[in-house]
Amino acid sequence: MKPDILAHIDLIKKLNAEGEFFDEESPRYKAAALKALNAAKENGCLLEVNTGGVYRGYRKDFYPGPWLLTEWHKMGGKVIITSDAHDTASLTFGFDEAAEAVKAAGFSSVEVLTVNGFETQEL
């Protein structure tokens, strides 16, 4: 069975806000990220845009960042926005901002999980 969603793709940058552990612009990092995106695309995965790291104060940007979102859009991938909620206050935290980030990467829609499965909703 294949996964439906690739989540937390660049969680590795969670504690790297100031670049203290690795260079997020490094060709090596970007090559590994693209390899993961290609595997997700080959398996028909959605890519999760997760607002949890911002809610918890680890990052100022969502997972994945703008570069990965743009690459995913170029591949023809689809996205879903989630919060990784651990409490009710974070359930829809940052969704408007995440939708703007998704739009900025070129997407015009997101996938939403409903009782009928995943459905596309225009942004």
Side-chain angles (χ1 to χ4, degrees), residues 38-58:
N38 281 313
K41 182 66 177 146
E42 288 172 11
N43 287 286
C45 292
L46 301 175
L47 183 65
E48 174 203 46
V49 177
N50 185 302
T51 65
V54 176
Y55 176 77
R56 292 179 191 84
Y58 290 109

Side-chain angles (χ1 to χ4, degrees), residues 94-112:
F95 276 30
D96 290 339
E97 294 85 353
E100 289 303 317
V102 166
K103 281 188 204 177
F107 292 92
S108 59
S109 64
V110 294
E111 299 302 303
V112 176

Side-chain angles (χ1 to χ4, degrees), residues 4-6 41 44-50 69 72-73 76-83 95 98-99 102-103 107-123:
D4 295 319
I5 301 170
L6 174 56
K41 182 66 177 146
C45 292
L46 301 175
L47 183 65
E48 174 203 46
V49 177
N50 185 302
L69 272 178
W72 187 243
H73 180 261
K78 295 181 180 183
V79 296
I80 186 169
I81 298 172
T82 72
S83 64
F95 276 30
V102 166
K103 281 188 204 177
F107 292 92
S108 59
S109 64
V110 294
E111 299 302 303
V112 176
L113 184 58
T114 71
V115 296
N116 300 316
F118 292 106
E119 295 182 1
T120 302
Q121 290 191 355
E122 297 302 313
L123 290 170

